[in-house]
Amino acid sequence: MQVDNAKIESYKKYLTEKSRPPSKGGNTKALHSHVLYINGEKYSFFALGSQQWVFKSDIVSFKYEVKGPYKNIITETLITIDKSGNQVVRGNRGFKSQLRTANARMPVSRREMNS
């Protein structure tokens, strides 16, 4: 299925990996769920980082697949056109093979933590 030349109503991002403090690198490259609302419908995809791929002033086109109640955007097909009419590429389009599983630790020494 496909959405062509649509304006978004809102764009939300949710952290899906374990969070990490800024001193340890932060969540810049953590996996986030990106959710676009278009004409009352909800479309989503997973991507690294919290950088927005689409702004409210942009026009967006993409293909998506339906899996249960979710409409998952195929990120390779996402095309964004800015308000000047130029095609732009935004967001972190990379990937990583392993997700974060460890919880962040308290910023104290081992001696203080065990007492």
Side-chain angles (χ1 to χ4, degrees), residues 1-104:
M1 296 199 219
Q2 189 163 338
V3 172
D4 287 320
N5 301 328
K7 288 191 83 62
I8 65 168
E9 295 168 8
S10 68
Y11 189 108
K12 302 207 186 272
K13 301 160 290 236
Y14 305 98
L15 181 65
T16 53
E17 275 189 287
K18 304 269 185 176
S19 82
R20 210 163 52 170
S23 62
K24 300 291 183 196
N27 297 316
T28 305
K29 292 191 178 170
L31 190 69
H32 285 73
S33 173
H34 296 252
V35 181
L36 286 87
Y37 291 92
I38 301 171
N39 298 329
E41 297 287 324
K42 179 178 167 181
Y43 303 92
S44 61
F45 63 94
F46 287 109
L48 295 182
S50 61
Q51 298 89 358
Q52 264 187 240
W53 287 40
V54 182
F55 295 141
K56 269 195 156 180
S57 60
D58 295 343
I59 294 173
V60 66
S61 300
F62 56 85
K63 290 183 181 178
Y64 68 95
E65 56 189 7
V66 178
K67 288 191 177 179
Y70 303 106
K71 295 179 181 173
N72 298 327
I73 296 173
I74 302 168
T75 55
E76 295 83 27
T77 65
L78 193 125
I79 297 168
T80 306
I81 299 171
D82 67 3
K83 60 185 172 188
S84 303
N86 302 320
Q87 186 172 332
V88 293
V89 177
R90 294 194 187 101
N92 186 347
R93 302 209 176 211
F95 73 97
K96 60 182 182 180
S97 57
Q98 190 169 7
L99 300 179
R100 244 182 245 160
T101 55
N103 290 323

